[in-house]
Amino acid sequence: MEKVDIDDVEPAFMDGSDLDRRGLSDHLGTDDLAINYYAIEPGESLSGGMHAHFDQEEVFYVVEGEVTFQTPEEEFVVGEHEVVRFAPGDFQTSVNDGDEDAVVIALGAPTPSEDIRVPMECRECGESETLQFLMTEDGQYLRCPECDNQFEAPV
């Protein structure tokens, strides 16, 4: 058994954002499950935009507040003590449209996710409608799975 107090986990700020994201997987020793805690203020998002994990399903449990999720087909609110699941390949993004902070626990399995896609046509070949999102020590890149063209991801 492993136990962790979320307040003891240092936030991992992404892309200069003030988003309070705390990775719990390493602290709990989970090899096959990603667990993340988010505290998001009004107007903040859980992710950088519309995306899908082609190799991972995701579950979001809204502990406090509410979060508006958007897919290419619809938009819906997940309220306090509600849960939503996205299958591998489901595109989604989210934002706290409420007036108060939201607290969310995100679960992803299996982990690590290595095939994250964004809905964007390849500007080189035009064949692919989704580009793979890659994060490296040198920066963030988009790669076309059809022609292997790679370019810097817009920020």
Side-chain angles (χ1 to χ4, degrees):
M1 184 193 95
E2 299 294 332
K3 177 183 171 186
V4 65
D5 184 326
I6 292 172
D7 291 333
D8 292 339
V9 177
E10 287 293 318
F13 299 106
M14 301 183 318
D15 303 325
S17 165
D18 289 335
L19 174 68
D20 184 355
R21 176 191 171 277
R22 299 170 194 237
L24 305 178
S25 303
D26 290 344
H27 297 278
L28 294 170
T30 61
D31 293 328
D32 300 316
L33 176 67
I35 308 170
N36 293 297
Y37 163 93
Y38 293 90
I40 57 174
E41 296 176 356
E44 289 185 332
S45 175
L46 294 170
S47 66
M50 187 69 70
H51 72 288
H53 294 262
F54 275 48
D55 58 353
Q56 182 184 67
E57 64 183 322
E58 295 179 287
V59 173
F60 297 92
Y61 167 51
V62 179
V63 179
E64 295 176 14
E66 63 182 38
V67 178
T68 301
F69 285 86
Q70 183 180 24
T71 69
E73 296 82 29
E74 65 180 317
E75 182 176 293
F76 54 93
V77 174
V78 179
E80 194 165 300
H81 300 290
E82 292 183 328
V83 181
V84 63
R85 173 194 175 263
F86 295 97
D90 285 350
F91 283 94
Q92 56 88 8
T93 189
S94 60
V95 66
N96 177 356
D97 275 338
D99 296 329
E100 298 183 19
D101 290 359
V103 174
V104 178
I105 300 293
L107 307 170
T111 192
S113 178
E114 297 176 353
D115 193 2
I116 303 169
R117 304 279 182 104
V118 296
M120 185 182 292
E121 185 177 286
C122 178
R123 60 186 182 198
E124 184 73 26
C125 72
E127 293 296 317
S128 180
E129 294 180 3
T130 66
L131 300 179
Q132 188 174 20
F133 179 75
L134 305 168
M135 288 186 288
T136 69
E137 291 178 4
D138 298 327
Q140 299 177 356
Y141 299 91
L142 295 174
R143 185 188 73 78
C144 175
E146 298 296 324
C147 71
D148 208 35
N149 180 42
Q150 184 171 304
F151 54 94
E152 226 174 286
V155 179

